[in-house]
Amino acid sequence: MSDNEPEPTRFANVDLDVRGANDLGPLIVALGGKVILIHHQPGVFVSFEWSNCGSGPDDTIVGLLDLIEALEPPARQAWDNADQRAFNIGINAGAEPYSSIYAVKPQTLKRLAAVNGMLEVTVYAPQRP
């Protein structure tokens, strides 16, 4: 892409943000190697990004849900005891196209609700030259 062409709007990734006063260590250990640890504030917050980012939000969320649903008891307890479990869809906004749609399927939303997850969307402004 040349310097004169506008950056397109595109799906970036889904961050998995977990907040809570409980020990999130077992969750970090269980997901290690399967996700990228972006940020960890002990006892308060942990943020992951799936290293196998899919082609869109739905398949990326499904991959993360597969990992969460397969957690062993100590890690699942850390997940269940968290105050907030957010699947945050990141979109890099661009000048083109005029609009973009990124769908999350009903069956994915049901699975998300079953693990007490919430859906967030973050739209990042286009970078200026």
Side-chain angles (χ1 to χ4, degrees):
M1 183 169 298
S2 76
D3 291 336
N4 296 336
E5 290 184 45
E7 285 290 322
T9 296
R10 65 179 180 80
F11 164 68
N13 205 334
V14 176
D15 291 348
L16 180 57
D17 300 328
V18 183
R19 297 182 190 280
N22 59 318
D23 180 15
L24 298 171
L27 187 60
I28 294 169
V29 170
L31 295 177
K34 300 170 188 156
V35 296
I36 299 165
L37 179 63
I38 299 171
H39 182 73
H40 178 218
Q41 187 175 354
V44 178
F45 176 76
V46 66
S47 182
F48 303 102
E49 190 173 84
W50 193 35
S51 54
N52 293 329
C53 176
S55 61
D58 188 80
D59 58 338
T60 304
I61 292 169
V62 165
L64 288 167
L65 286 167
D66 289 345
L67 296 176
I68 297 305
E69 292 166 348
L71 290 172
E72 295 294 327
R76 184 56 191 250
Q77 183 175 7
W79 174 267
D80 290 340
N81 290 337
D83 297 325
Q84 183 181 25
R85 300 154 215 85
F87 292 71
N88 189 317
I89 299 169
I91 304 293
N92 291 320
E96 299 287 335
Y98 176 73
S99 65
S100 299
I101 296 173
Y102 301 95
V104 179
K105 296 174 185 171
Q107 60 267 33
T108 305
L109 294 171
K110 286 179 186 176
R111 288 179 67 191
L112 191 68
V115 297
N116 291 316
M118 67 182 213
L119 190 62
E120 296 179 333
V121 178
T122 299
V123 179
Y124 300 96
Q127 294 201 4
R128 298 173 193 245

